[in-house]
Amino acid sequence: MPELRAKLILIICVFFSFFSVHAQEKKDVVFSGTFKNMPFVQFANEVENQTGIHIYYHPDWVEEITINAEGEELSLRKILSEQFATANIKFYIDSNLNIYLTGGTKIITELPDYSSGSEAEGIAGVEGEDGLTEAERNYITGRKALKIETIVLGNDDGSTKRKAVITGKIKDADNYEPLIGATVYIEDLKIGAVTDLYGQFSIVLKPGKYNVTLNSMGMKEKNIVWQVYSNASTDIMMESGLIALDEVQISASSYHNVEGIQMGYERVSLKKMKEIPVVLGEKDIIKVALMLPGVQSVGEGSSGINVRGGSADQNMFYINKVPVYNTSHLFGFFTSFNPEIVNDFTLYKSNIPANYGGRLSSIFNISSRNGNKLKTTAHGGISPVTLNLAVEGPIIKEKVSYAVSARTTYSDWILKNVSDYDIKHSKASFYDLTANIHGELNEKNQMNVFGYYSSDDFRFSDNNIYNYSNAGASVNLNHSFSPESKADFSLAYSKYQLENVDLTSLADEYSHSYSIDHLELRSDFSLFRFEKHMIEYGLNSILYINNRGEVNPYGTESLRTKVVLGEEKAVESAIYISDKYSITPRLTLNGGLRYSFYSMFGPAEVCTYPESSSKTLDNIMDTLSYSGSDIVKSYSGLEPRVSFTYLLRRNNSIKASYNRLQQYLFLLSNTFAISPTDYWKMADYYLKPSVSDQVSIGYYQNYNKAGVNMSVELYRKWSDRILEFKDGADFFSSAPIETQTLQGKQDVKGVELMVKKTSGKFTGWMSYTYSKSTMLVDGDNAEDRINYGLAYPSNYDRPHSLNLASTLRSNRRLSVSLNMVYYTGRPTTFPVAIYYVDGRQYMQYSQRNEFRIPDYFRMDLSINLEGNLRNKKIAHSFWMLNFYNLTGRSNAYSVFFTSDDGNIESYKLSIFNQPIVTLSWNFKLGNYASN
């Protein structure tokens, strides 16, 4: 009896095993409807919407196939079998009722037994010379396949239709720092996600099994399998990759270049930025940004940059949410951000996300290192003029970390060795400090506390004394309400102040002090509840206290009179919402609305003028007085943003975007470059906010086998109420600002080309920009016109710009880098004649910006030598030999003129007119690969 029972059980088990296998092979989808000559793509969409299943296919395979079917209980398996009988298309239905179509290739549902054989040595997914991946080659040859980690996400409740929100953090396995801009890509679905400033990502998937590819700059590509059941969170560690170049690499990956929704977007990873030739051996993130298309320098040794034809004050710089109003040391020779503390640098210059505003040209978003959560380490360097050091480590291992940095200069010895009297008797010094604490409080909360300070002191011979500083701090809390919703709360404070003393003329000596305070509160929310939508919304508010200061006589012999420039208070706020909508695997739409509103408060004194008359000192009629609680003037406006990405093939796409931006602050300067004497001015009763509309379209292509990416972007930007200065404007006088300024229209158009090679011994990029920027300032009265009311080149019109950055690495220890920079000289106004009236000499000037200074050209060379590559060592170092301005070209910083006995003499001022050779040494604790 027991023997018979055992045999019966065995027979039943075999029967049901056979039945289950047979049933699995015959899985089917039942649906209803009427389909008459319906294109297969439309048919697939209707079946998916009705049943909740997924059909995966390439559109090219089915573009000529139509479906004819009608009924209440239609069999999808039967319909596909009939329709594909004569077509070279195979299909497979898996256990989760997902349907996979292939172009004539039969899907193999079982792998051979790999219980014996040697371990695979290659990397899955990487094609060899025979065109096969290592996994495919292993399959054919019978070798054991490379094992890929499978991660189970959520709980299996049997549901196959309910969406699952998968959230996670991607970290560096060496130090537990979050990886910013890392990409999560699911090839089967042609969808992906990118990590934020906290290394977090979110993606919505149906239950099922997915092959996932993870990429991040400087890290080894990681392939894993997700078995998704329901909402879940996961932490993923990635290992550092010893890649031939990748010391400076722009654009996170091919995901951003082709699939990503962003245009005019560049990302620079600065973990190992040591091979770009730089002046005086000092690494500089802004100098790297100047090698990108559409970004140009105001002038060599100058503070400020121009992006797509805009002025320097149209760019906003953030470091860990702290706004920085002056980003330069020593008037632009160095950047005020210590490169040893910088982790990531992102530039937006086209379709700026809806959560940003307040500037017309670009947003520079810099994130600092969070600190090593596993061990204490240090890194730094010594150059001919600077010394910098950064220390980081855990406070609570794997949970809370710190990172601090300091940098200072000892540049006076260089000045003392210059023969020029003024330079020889000058003094220069600066320093900057940063501190960051990052903590993972629990699974749902991360907090970051950051502080920043920079200071500059400069004395130019016996003529001028300058002192300026930036101070700021921020507190950020990232909170996850659920897998479907998270928020980022931040409070940031920034203060920029300057003091300068002008000793040029004994009778006109004066001192001036200025400061601006910026207090900002932000709340940003993200919603991932819907499979094809990623919704972001939030609000922010900024309190400005702009103290324009006082101009006081300096010294006992100064005849200057005291001028009180006054203080301004204003509040700028905004609300926004945006939606990234994945319409199809090929088409993604991103739309956003931002509404900003601005109010300037008293106390204030406002001059009045006759209607339709020019705002001049002679036309002042009366004065309006506002108390501290009064609103002097308010402005508001809608700022729509929209963009789309359409994938032509896997490796190429087209993108287009439109955005509107408003700016409520202006920099008062009557020079083309930012100087410490410039200060900010708020929009007021007469000075209206600037507004800009920009349209862009681009084509993007990746050549993965060659390791080459390219992009072409065309853009057009129309701006209104751009601030221009009347001839002879003096912003240290008591004259109201509206009597010295005018506002006009700016028209910018251009094309940007970028080609990058990111693999192999020879790597680098080339960027070319052609642009045209014109200004038009016209009015009813002659006093309200510039250049007789005719259009003229803007101060930042440089039609041609060509940049080349290349590196040849012979081995891991030795590399040679070469940079080349060329751009058209900036416009300027020259004197063209001298005439006399009653015996007094006057100069006749050309039309506004009618001429140009000479074109700029520079070539740099760098030789980088690493220390030994031993794995076990206390510290690693490398030497960097730089040749800046290798050809010794005398590039014109400016051209000026003097009159000598009735003759006009011209002079060209050059900052570097000979090669600058520097040797710097950098170190870090650990070996070559340590971060």
Side-chain angles (χ1 to χ4, degrees), residues 605-662:
E605 301 289 329
V606 176
C607 297
T608 61
Y609 305 87
E611 188 176 354
S612 300
S613 68
S614 300
K615 297 176 182 61
T616 63
L617 292 175
D618 296 334
N619 289 336
I620 295 177
M621 292 175 51
D622 200 355
T623 301
L624 300 177
S625 296
Y626 294 87
S627 66
S629 59
D630 294 335
I631 296 178
V632 177
K633 192 70 174 180
S634 293
Y635 299 98
S636 63
L638 187 65
E639 303 175 26
R641 323 279 171 89
V642 63
S643 63
F644 77 83
T645 297
Y646 182 74
L647 296 177
L648 301 172
R649 292 290 185 271
R650 176 182 177 183
N651 294 328
N652 56 358
S653 66
I654 57 173
K655 304 179 187 181
S657 68
Y658 162 78
N659 63 266
R660 165 169 283 203
L661 295 157
Q662 291 199 105

Side-chain angles (χ1 to χ4, degrees), residues 198 200 444-446 477-482 485-490 523-528 537:
Y198 302 94
Q200 298 177 329
K444 292 189 174 183
N445 294 283
Q446 293 187 67
L477 175 65
N478 183 263
H479 175 70
S480 177
F481 295 102
S482 69
S485 178
K486 68 176 184 177
D488 192 41
F489 305 101
S490 65
S523 298
D524 301 291
F525 300 88
S526 301
L527 189 62
F528 309 95
Y537 58 97

Side-chain angles (χ1 to χ4, degrees), residues 459-642:
R459 182 185 182 105
F460 181 66
S461 188
D462 302 323
N463 297 327
N464 299 91
I465 302 173
Y466 303 101
N467 173 267
Y468 57 96
S469 64
N470 293 279
S474 65
V475 179
N476 299 278
L477 175 65
N478 183 263
H479 175 70
S480 177
F481 295 102
S482 69
E484 300 174 342
S485 178
K486 68 176 184 177
D488 192 41
F489 305 101
S490 65
L491 175 65
Y493 171 76
S494 175
K495 185 182 187 71
Y496 169 65
Q497 55 186 1
L498 70 88
E499 296 180 0
N500 72 284
V501 178
D502 191 312
L503 306 172
T504 306
S505 173
L506 191 64
D508 199 40
E509 291 180 349
Y510 68 89
S511 65
H512 173 239
S513 60
Y514 165 81
S515 67
I516 181 171
D517 292 78
H518 177 126
L519 181 63
E520 182 170 3
L521 180 64
R522 296 188 63 94
S523 298
D524 301 291
F525 300 88
S526 301
L527 189 62
F528 309 95
R529 185 169 300 167
F530 310 102
E531 181 180 9
K532 296 187 177 182
H533 296 267
M534 186 180 76
I535 299 173
E536 296 180 334
Y537 58 97
L539 55 91
N540 78 296
S541 188
I542 305 171
L543 170 65
Y544 299 106
I545 302 177
N546 190 38
N547 186 352
R548 296 171 57 201
E550 299 179 350
V551 180
N552 293 304
Y554 188 85
T556 57
E557 300 185 43
S558 176
L559 301 179
R560 273 266 187 175
T561 57
K562 179 178 179 178
V563 177
V564 179
L565 299 176
E567 183 178 87
E568 300 173 325
K569 294 181 181 179
V571 173
E572 177 187 346
S573 302
I575 57 174
Y576 74 90
I577 184 171
S578 67
D579 181 15
K580 180 182 176 183
Y581 177 27
S582 301
I583 302 174
T584 70
R586 288 174 176 258
L587 180 62
T588 302
L589 178 68
N590 192 5
L593 290 176
R594 179 184 178 89
Y595 189 82
S596 62
F597 34 98
Y598 167 92
S599 294
M600 181 181 182
F601 295 90
E605 301 289 329
V606 176
C607 297
T608 61
Y609 305 87
E611 188 176 354
S612 300
S613 68
S614 300
K615 297 176 182 61
T616 63
L617 292 175
D618 296 334
N619 289 336
I620 295 177
M621 292 175 51
D622 200 355
T623 301
L624 300 177
S625 296
Y626 294 87
S627 66
S629 59
D630 294 335
I631 296 178
V632 177
K633 192 70 174 180
S634 293
Y635 299 98
S636 63
L638 187 65
E639 303 175 26
R641 323 279 171 89
V642 63

Side-chain angles (χ1 to χ4, degrees), residues 368-498:
S368 72
R369 295 174 67 97
N370 287 330
N372 196 312
K373 288 184 171 61
L374 298 179
K375 61 183 179 180
T376 300
T377 185
H379 40 95
I382 300 174
S383 75
V385 292
T386 63
L387 169 66
N388 63 74
L389 176 67
V391 181
E392 56 184 277
I395 298 175
I396 301 175
K397 196 170 185 179
E398 299 185 7
K399 292 295 183 181
V400 183
S401 60
Y402 72 91
V404 295
S405 74
R407 180 174 55 160
T408 188
T409 185
Y410 37 85
S411 55
D412 285 352
W413 69 271
I414 295 180
L415 304 179
K416 300 300 180 185
N417 286 279
V418 178
S419 58
D420 183 272
Y421 175 86
D422 287 333
I423 297 180
K424 191 180 186 70
H425 291 82
S426 297
K427 293 183 177 181
S429 66
F430 69 80
Y431 67 92
D432 53 61
L433 306 167
T434 58
N436 191 64
I437 297 176
H438 179 267
E440 297 187 16
L441 307 182
N442 50 48
E443 290 186 357
K444 292 189 174 183
N445 294 283
Q446 293 187 67
M447 178 171 282
N448 198 83
V449 180
F450 176 76
Y452 169 79
Y453 184 80
S454 72
S455 176
D456 275 75
D457 289 285
F458 183 78
R459 182 185 182 105
F460 181 66
S461 188
D462 302 323
N463 297 327
N464 299 91
I465 302 173
Y466 303 101
N467 173 267
Y468 57 96
S469 64
N470 293 279
S474 65
V475 179
N476 299 278
L477 175 65
N478 183 263
H479 175 70
S480 177
F481 295 102
S482 69
E484 300 174 342
S485 178
K486 68 176 184 177
D488 192 41
F489 305 101
S490 65
L491 175 65
Y493 171 76
S494 175
K495 185 182 187 71
Y496 169 65
Q497 55 186 1
L498 70 88

